[in-house]
Amino acid sequence: MIYFDNSATTIPDERVIETFNKTCVNYPGNVNSLHSLGIKSKELEKYATDKIKKLLNLSSEEVIYTSGATEANNTVLKGICSRYRERGNHIIVSPLEHSSIIETCNYLERKGFIIDYVKVKDDGLIDIDDLKRLINDKTILVSISYVDSELGIRQKIKDIKKIVDDYPKCYLHVDGTQAIGKIEIDFNDMDFFSMSGHKIFGMKGIGLLIKKKNIVIDNLIHGGKSSSVYRGGTPPLPLITSLMRALELIIPNIKDNYRHVEELNKILVDGLKKYDKVHINSTDRSIPYIINFSIENIKPETFIHAMEEKEIYISTRSACSTSDYSKAIYAVYGDDKIASSSIRISLCYKNTLEEVKKFTEVFGEIYSKLMLK
Ligand code: PMP
């Protein structure tokens, strides 16, 4: 099997599963129980949280465990809107955002908030002049993905933060789900950051919302005592330790992994460019982990299933997208055909040169076959 759908989810690392299993067996107590089993669990939770903070170089930030990035995104958007409604009712996002941002914005719009979509340039970068034009005294939140899930465009978050900083009542949220473990992140550049464990060889069902300690938001989930006042419910200790392990395995190796994936990306892109009906949609601002392309006159599903028959797994676009048409790709290319025909290869550091060579070979066979039809 060749698994090139790592932006949809990664295959959990054995070492992460081991940590999960050991925590289940050895730490059965509820973190908030007063007896010794509870105290033992609480100590482990503190150890894991401290370790996560250290790995991510967090000091003035608070870590809130969530079920994943969707919950983290919902928590920030709804939490800010509920808390700061009197300050303003304006939010700015980009057309490259994941459905967990877009759908939440649609909901908020129905509740009376005004959502503006900042323009992106030809290379996929946020148009800073448009952001300056849109932001105003009523803007309470700007939410931008560090790296989007379809084209893999890496945004210039520092430049965005500079604009937001001129508006003290406005916060910057960064959806870092496709960025964590792939690029270095400076948490001083943002007020909130969302991520998910399953994109970094962790378990499904755990994510983080990282929040500047001094910012107060309203809760999304009310309930019993947890590890954070912002999210009720019994802390899922095995998921928390497994997230710590996943981060521990990936964060120190970001640079080496990036170089390796860059090498794989070059071979793949050079291979794809040989075919005249292939259009590479990723731009020079895309990170090497994501290669988005279209094949003229070929339905992406047809191509993906043909690859699947050879045990090669890629995807049409984001696995969580709510339609076949990509608003993200349309925003960059302004072309309906490209927006409805994109195919995504998403790599991870565990992919190999052999896999890439095999992919290129099989791609050629399938391309020729489909073109003859
Ligand atoms: N944001 C981005 C950019 C994503 O790629 C994803 C997952 N595809 C999410 C949010 C949602 O993550 P989760 O599946 O953990 O809820």
Side-chain angles (χ1 to χ4, degrees):
M1 165 175 98
I2 298 180
Y3 187 72
F4 282 173
D5 197 16
N6 292 282
S7 287
T9 195
T10 50
I11 298 166
D13 191 293
E14 292 291 339
R15 294 163 291 182
V16 172
I17 299 173
E18 196 187 334
T19 300
F20 177 88
N21 286 339
K22 277 190 176 161
T23 309
C24 285
V25 174
N26 299 328
Y27 293 83
N30 185 323
V31 165
N32 292 314
S33 289
L34 292 180
H35 50 67
S36 59
L37 287 182
I39 291 166
K40 198 177 150 193
S41 290
K42 184 116 199 140
E43 281 168 3
L44 182 63
E45 190 203 34
K46 183 174 178 331
Y47 173 81
T49 305
D50 288 347
K51 191 78 195 254
I52 290 171
K53 285 186 173 168
K54 197 159 177 230
L55 282 163
L56 299 179
N57 209 6
L58 302 176
S59 50
S60 57
E61 292 85 4
E62 180 179 346
V63 157
I64 302 164
Y65 295 109
T66 64
S67 60
T70 298
E71 187 189 319
N73 288 343
N74 270 265
T75 305
V76 183
L77 268 74
K78 292 175 183 165
I80 292 273
C81 286
S82 162
R83 185 86 189 184
Y84 299 110
R85 183 73 172 91
E86 319 76 54
R87 284 188 184 176
N89 65 343
H90 184 228
I91 297 167
I92 302 174
V93 294
S94 92
L96 302 182
E97 301 311 306
H98 184 260
S99 48
S100 54
I101 296 284
I102 304 284
E103 290 302 321
T104 307
C105 284
N106 291 344
Y107 164 81
L108 290 167
E109 204 163 32
R110 293 194 294 276
K111 295 280 169 200
F113 287 87
I114 295 166
I115 316 292
D116 267 321
Y117 287 83
V118 61
K119 282 188 193 133
V120 292
K121 298 188 295 181
D122 289 353
D123 56 6
L125 280 187
I126 301 292
D127 183 335
I128 294 289
D129 290 333
D130 195 44
L131 179 62
K132 283 186 194 159
R133 191 182 61 78
L134 291 172
I135 197 165
N136 62 61
D137 291 338
K138 293 260 178 270
T139 315
I140 50 174
L141 184 69
V142 174
S143 178
I144 302 291
S145 50
Y146 212 134
V147 170
D148 73 282
S149 56
E150 291 191 57
L151 288 161
I153 309 283
R154 175 188 181 153
Q155 298 296 338
K156 293 187 172 179
I157 295 297
K158 268 193 203 306
D159 294 355
I160 296 170
K161 177 71 171 141
K162 270 192 209 142
I163 311 293
V164 175
D165 277 348
D166 285 338
Y167 293 81
K169 288 189 282 180
C170 178
Y171 296 122
L172 175 62
H173 166 242
V174 172
D175 180 352
T177 316
Q178 296 292 348
I180 191 86
K182 295 176 184 142
I183 59 171
E184 310 263 6
I185 289 153
D186 181 349
F187 290 89
N188 293 312
D189 296 340
M190 59 206 74
D191 300 304
F192 299 91
F193 180 89
S194 306
M195 60 155 282
S196 207
H198 71 98
K199 309 282 185 186
I200 52 166
F201 311 97
M203 312 294 282
K204 291 159 185 68
I206 180 83
L208 285 185
L209 172 61
I210 295 169
K211 176 183 86 57
K212 283 265 179 294
K213 267 187 202 145
N214 59 343
I215 306 176
V216 179
I217 57 173
D218 280 350
N219 282 27
L220 179 68
I221 297 178
H222 297 89
K225 206 167 171 231
S226 189
S227 26
S228 157
V229 292
Y230 289 106
R231 205 250 196 181
T234 303
L237 190 57
L239 288 171
I240 292 171
T241 54
S242 69
L243 180 64
M244 171 201 76
R245 189 75 181 118
L247 286 165
E248 203 172 52
L249 292 172
I250 206 161
I251 295 293
N253 303 314
I254 285 179
K255 284 202 177 103
D256 287 346
N257 293 347
Y258 194 93
R259 270 192 289 273
H260 170 65
V261 172
E262 239 172 358
E263 233 180 278
L264 304 183
N265 172 291
K266 187 167 178 354
I267 300 170
L268 283 166
V269 172
D270 286 350
L272 290 170
K273 278 184 175 164
K274 287 186 187 139
Y275 301 93
D276 59 348
K277 301 278 186 235
V278 171
H279 181 270
I280 306 285
N281 303 326
S282 300
T283 78
D284 57 1
R285 295 291 173 182
S286 300
I287 59 166
Y289 286 84
I290 295 182
I291 302 165
N292 191 304
F293 64 98
S294 301
I295 313 171
E296 243 176 73
N297 302 327
I298 290 189
K299 278 194 178 157
E301 310 84 83
T302 311
F303 188 77
I304 277 151
H305 291 310
M307 291 300 270
E308 188 186 350
E309 276 175 29
K310 305 280 179 188
E311 289 190 48
I312 297 178
Y313 298 91
I314 54 177
S315 70
T316 46
R317 33 182 304 232
S318 172
C320 320
S321 51
T322 48
S323 76
D324 290 340
Y325 177 88
S326 166
K327 283 194 183 131
I329 293 184
Y330 187 81
V332 177
Y333 289 99
D335 182 314
D336 281 324
K337 271 195 181 161
I338 294 181
S340 53
S341 66
S342 68
I343 299 172
R344 181 185 69 182
I345 298 173
S346 49
L347 302 169
C348 74
Y349 78 90
K350 297 185 186 191
N351 290 132
T352 63
L353 274 174
E354 290 66 40
E355 288 177 330
V356 160
K357 284 181 191 151
K358 179 79 184 160
F359 174 94
T360 312
E361 220 177 276
V362 174
F363 182 92
E365 287 164 22
I366 294 175
Y367 179 90
S368 313
K369 238 193 238 170
L370 293 176
M371 284 300 160
L372 288 175
K373 276 193 176 171

